[in-house]
Amino acid sequence: MSGWESYYKNEGDEEEEEQDEGPEAGEYKYSGRDSLIFLVDASRAMFESQNEGDEDELTPFEMSIECILSVYTNKIISSDRDLLAVVFYGTKKDKNSVNFKNIYVLQELDNPGAKRVLELDRFKGQLGKKHFQDLIGCGSDYSLSEALWVCANLFSDVQFKMSHKRIMLFTNEDDPHGSDSAKASRARTKAADLRDTGIFLDLMHLKKPGGFDISLFYRDIISIAEDEDIGVHFEESSKLEDLLRKVRAKENKKRALGRLKFKLSKDVALTVGIYNLVQKAFRPPPVRLYRETNEPVKTKTRTFNVNNGSLLLPSDTKRSQSYGSRQIVLEKEETVQLKRFDEPGLILIGFKPLIMLKKHHYLRPSLFVYPEESMVNGSTALFSALLTKCLEKEVMAVCRYTPRHNSPPYFVTLVPQEEELDDQKVQVTPPGFQLIFLPYADDKRKVPFTEKVLANPEQVDKMKTIVQKLRFNYRSDSFENPVLQQHFRNLEALALDLMEPEQAVDLTLPKVEAMDKRLGSLVDEFKELVYPPDYNPQGKTTKRKQDDEGSRNKRPKVEVSEEELKAHISKGTLGKLTVPMLKEACRVYGLKGGMKKQELLDTLTRHFQEG
């Protein structure tokens, strides 16, 4: 399979190479930009703390600002091309393109940047509350339909292609127009209009005295995706952590890598979407700038004729593949045809028990398979039935997976996965299949193992006790890459003109003190059982060096007689001798032959010819 991979990567023009290499390296790219508007309630209730005696408790407005700042900083790192905006409603002053009262557009849809982060940062804490009152102020009346109208206008003013449009509404008022049925009706109508134009509205409701009742008004306002359960809604947030989890769950649109047909048999097929749940985070590459203007520069590649230096067009070149000693020349159309192995899709081969999937089969991060109704109606029902039966019988589906036209087929297994919700009714695990890549026979290696030194039962029991003491609940999302985190904090400090960057905590380092406290005397007891009494871990390196020197002195010398050397020189076969043999011969005759084999050959040949 490795040969196919290299062939698929090396063929084609530069643009094709870039597209093909992305998924192989774990990078997946999407077209269009995500756009997100934060619509924040700025009425007086949002600035009131739930517990008046607790000064450290954040007000609903402060929690909203903290949440927005978190999204801004994450977007700067992960996808700085996305568009973000902040709109306040229920304000004293107004600032919008339609001149509606009590609506203030703080930031229009644009890329997240340092200036925008600093502008939002000024609304944090008690000083931020005072700054907000001085700059914008709290109002007493507003119309939610007008606020949604302003957001729709912000989307329509953008010139870029947008892959997804979303409004995130932060409020702690569950019935904003309880005394005005006309305003409530207009808000419901406007929300329906937004849904029809592809704009999603998500509610981030915050805690209020007496509880937040979503059924009073917002059940008819918020957008429910086709694949979401209408009866499941997030609970109100009283803590910043809960609100952040909600925002992260709704922040990004579920964008499919591709929509493919999943063939169960010759006549039965359904449509599925393939999603990427895990992607390796890379440090972004530096951008080349023109030194005089600091403008980004572009790199262009041109092909020239070696003989006369003339510029070659794509039509002037052909491609070749070496087979043995022969060069096979191919036209561009032939290479395209060769790369098309099969039509994109999933083809079911059969089912196997889940226990047959082993950890050592892991090749790369899995993808996620979810039903799509776009190409085949009824795909969701068929997919759900297949998932339910696979979970009941504890089996996995083995398939052949071809992601794109110019991709080789992969041998994969679909592992069923149940839906899980946490105590806030936020989806932790979605229902669907994990698409796990399986190795081909060519990918498996036979690794030579050294002989095992068996431990006695007493040593095994002692190590079991140590392992039991050091166990902890591992979650991969609890550990951030310290190198990446520090890199982005350094950039953040430069962008925001901070005195010094915040130091990232390296969570990958073991907590030595806590481990020693847990283990107590167990480590010393284990050392006594395993190592000899005079064992010194500090002196191990020195002792090893001495052993290496001793073994070097004891190494048998490779000697060649003078007659053999003369015979080799006369026949021209001196090159058959190994480098150690030639070096030893030079040492015996007191010659300085250098380090390379050719230099040793020349030195010995010259010595015997002159002699």
Side-chain angles (χ1 to χ4, degrees):
M1 194 59 198
S2 57
W4 276 107
E5 295 291 351
S6 60
Y7 172 76
Y8 274 79
K9 282 188 184 181
N10 293 335
E11 287 296 319
D13 56 26
E14 291 171 13
E15 291 181 6
E16 287 176 353
E17 283 179 18
E18 288 178 9
Q19 291 173 0
D20 288 350
E21 285 179 16
E24 299 302 328
E27 282 188 89
Y28 298 93
K29 295 180 180 178
Y30 306 89
S31 62
R33 303 190 187 193
D34 261 358
S35 53
L36 175 61
I37 296 177
F38 297 102
L39 183 59
V40 184
D41 184 356
S43 57
R44 294 193 187 280
M46 287 285 286
F47 292 87
E48 295 171 0
S49 178
Q50 300 297 319
N51 301 319
E52 293 182 5
D54 189 358
E55 295 181 358
D56 296 330
E57 186 183 5
L58 295 174
T59 63
F61 183 81
E62 287 177 312
M63 286 170 59
S64 303
I65 293 297
E66 289 277 4
C67 231
I68 295 168
L69 277 169
S70 173
V71 174
Y72 264 71
T73 51
N74 287 339
K75 288 282 187 185
I76 289 173
I77 293 169
S78 60
S79 48
D80 60 349
R81 292 175 69 254
D82 289 350
L83 307 173
L84 301 175
V86 179
V87 179
F88 296 120
Y89 69 94
T91 58
K92 187 177 180 181
K93 297 180 182 178
D94 52 83
K95 178 189 168 189
N96 57 81
S97 59
V98 203
N99 295 323
F100 285 138
K101 298 293 182 185
N102 311 111
I103 298 169
Y104 193 97
V105 178
L106 181 72
Q107 296 175 355
E108 296 190 359
L109 277 169
D110 204 349
N111 305 122
K115 289 182 179 179
R116 303 184 123 212
V117 172
L118 287 171
E119 187 179 11
L120 285 167
D121 199 61
R122 295 179 67 187
F123 294 122
K124 288 169 62 177
Q126 288 298 320
L127 291 173
K129 181 179 178 181
K130 185 178 183 305
H131 174 66
F132 182 85
Q133 297 298 340
D134 295 340
L135 181 69
I136 302 170
C138 297
S140 56
D141 189 26
Y142 60 86
S143 170
L144 191 58
S145 66
E146 291 178 353
L148 296 176
W149 192 314
V150 169
C151 292
N153 283 352
L154 288 176
F155 284 123
S156 61
D157 291 341
V158 175
Q159 302 299 319
F160 301 109
K161 177 189 174 185
M162 290 180 284
S163 61
H164 192 59
K165 304 172 189 176
R166 188 182 290 273
I167 300 169
M168 210 169 271
L169 176 63
F170 293 83
T171 184
N172 67 344
E173 176 56 63
D174 54 3
D175 195 8
H177 301 313
S179 59
D180 192 335
S181 59
K183 281 187 177 180
S185 177
R186 286 199 296 271
R188 289 187 177 95
T189 304
K190 190 60 188 175
D193 292 342
L194 292 180
R195 276 197 296 273
D196 294 340
T197 56
I199 299 173
F200 285 80
L201 177 63
D202 293 316
L203 177 65
M204 298 295 135
H205 48 304
L206 300 141
K207 192 169 183 180
K208 62 169 288 188
F212 194 106
D213 188 357
I214 199 171
S215 63
L216 291 175
F217 177 75
Y218 282 104
R219 188 185 290 275
D220 305 324
I221 295 292
I222 58 176
S223 305
I224 301 292
E226 292 178 5
D227 52 6
E228 286 185 10
D229 185 357
I230 296 175
V232 176
H233 292 291
F234 298 151
E235 293 183 3
E236 60 191 30
S237 300
S238 57
K239 295 181 181 178
L240 178 62
E241 293 78 18
D242 297 336
L243 184 61
L244 279 169
R245 284 167 61 211
K246 283 186 196 176
V247 171
R248 288 186 192 123
K250 289 284 187 180
E251 178 189 340
N252 295 313
K253 159 75 173 164
K254 291 187 296 186
R255 293 194 287 187
L257 294 174
R259 292 174 176 82
L260 307 169
K261 278 197 174 182
F262 182 9
K263 295 181 182 177
L264 302 182
S265 67
K266 187 178 179 181
D267 303 318
V268 181
L270 64 150
T271 312
V272 293
I274 309 294
Y275 297 87
N276 177 35
L277 299 183
V278 177
Q279 180 161 315
K280 187 175 179 181
F282 294 96
R283 186 188 298 179
V287 179
R288 292 176 181 269
L289 304 176
Y290 184 46
R291 65 188 306 170
E292 293 183 7
T293 60
N294 274 359
E295 291 180 355
V297 294
K298 291 183 179 179
T299 304
K300 289 190 176 181
T301 305
R302 294 284 182 269
T303 309
F304 294 91
N305 189 319
V306 180
N307 299 323
N308 56 25
S310 61
L311 181 66
L312 297 176
L313 298 173
S315 57
D316 297 329
T317 60
K318 293 184 179 181
R319 291 163 176 77
S320 69
Q321 190 84 9
S322 295
Y323 184 77
S325 57
R326 192 176 168 192
Q327 197 173 37
I328 313 297
V329 179
L330 301 167
E331 299 289 342
K332 187 177 180 180
E333 294 75 16
E334 291 175 315
T335 60
V336 170
Q337 196 64 33
L338 279 172
K339 287 164 71 174
R340 296 205 170 183
F341 197 94
D342 199 3
E343 287 296 314
L346 273 164
I347 299 174
L348 179 66
I349 297 172
F351 296 92
K352 288 284 182 182
L354 281 170
I355 55 171
M356 293 191 71
L357 184 64
K358 305 298 181 185
K359 288 182 179 178
H360 61 265
H361 291 156
Y362 176 85
L363 282 177
R364 53 192 267 197
S366 63
L367 300 175
F368 189 69
V369 181
Y370 202 74
E372 290 274 348
E373 293 282 333
S374 57
M375 292 161 67
V376 179
N377 289 332
S379 294
T380 305
L382 183 55
F383 185 91
S384 179
L386 179 65
L387 178 64
T388 304
K389 278 297 171 187
C390 286
L391 287 167
E392 282 179 11
K393 296 182 177 292
E394 296 183 348
V395 295
M396 57 186 178
V398 181
C399 305
R400 189 174 78 169
Y401 169 53
T402 309
R404 297 179 309 280
H405 279 293
N406 293 343
S407 296
Y410 296 98
F411 193 40
V412 299
T413 179
L414 303 183
V415 177
Q417 178 174 285
E418 276 188 289
E419 183 182 29
E420 290 180 25
L421 303 174
D422 65 5
D423 53 358
Q424 287 278 317
K425 292 188 179 178
V426 177
Q427 191 184 70
V428 179
T429 307
F433 286 97
Q434 290 282 352
L435 187 148
I436 296 172
F437 294 87
L438 295 175
Y440 282 100
D442 317 56
D443 301 325
K444 293 186 177 181
R445 297 183 301 156
K446 289 184 179 179
V447 181
F449 294 101
T450 54
E451 281 189 36
K452 288 192 287 186
V453 179
L454 294 175
N456 60 49
E458 192 179 359
Q459 293 170 342
V460 172
D461 292 339
K462 189 63 69 178
M463 182 49 73
K464 277 183 182 177
T465 311
I466 291 174
V467 171
Q468 201 67 33
K469 288 275 187 183
L470 294 179
R471 291 186 71 164
F472 71 102
N473 292 325
Y474 171 75
R475 284 179 58 88
S476 59
D477 53 6
S478 300
F479 297 88
E480 296 172 328
N481 186 331
V483 176
L484 278 179
Q485 290 300 315
Q486 193 59 55
H487 172 75
F488 288 122
R489 289 183 191 199
N490 292 345
L491 291 180
E492 184 182 14
L494 289 169
L496 303 180
D497 294 327
L498 301 178
M499 293 296 291
E500 58 181 26
E502 182 185 351
Q503 292 301 311
V505 180
D506 189 350
L507 298 171
T508 61
L509 292 174
K511 298 177 180 177
V512 180
E513 292 182 7
M515 290 168 67
D516 290 342
K517 190 176 179 181
R518 275 193 188 184
L519 293 174
S521 60
L522 282 172
V523 176
D524 294 327
E525 292 171 13
F526 180 75
K527 284 180 181 178
E528 289 175 8
L529 287 171
V530 175
Y531 299 115
D534 57 344
Y535 172 73
N536 179 16
Q538 303 299 327
K540 190 175 181 181
T541 307
T542 312
K543 191 176 179 182
R544 190 170 179 178
K545 281 183 179 177
Q546 290 173 353
D547 290 347
D548 288 345
E549 287 172 8
S551 62
R552 199 181 295 120
N553 293 334
K554 293 175 185 176
R555 194 178 294 154
K557 295 178 181 178
V558 184
E559 291 186 1
V560 185
S561 64
E562 187 175 344
E563 288 76 17
E564 287 176 324
L565 285 171
K566 286 180 178 178
H568 277 302
I569 290 168
S570 61
K571 293 177 183 177
T573 57
L574 189 63
K576 289 186 176 181
L577 300 180
T578 62
V579 171
M581 288 180 172
L582 296 171
K583 281 186 176 179
E584 182 61 25
C586 287
R587 190 191 65 77
V588 169
Y589 295 104
L591 305 173
K592 292 182 180 179
M595 297 299 292
K596 294 181 180 179
K597 186 172 183 177
Q598 190 58 48
E599 292 174 353
L600 296 169
L601 292 172
D602 294 342
T603 302
L604 286 168
T605 304
R606 193 164 48 249
H607 171 74
F608 281 103
Q609 285 176 349
E610 289 174 357

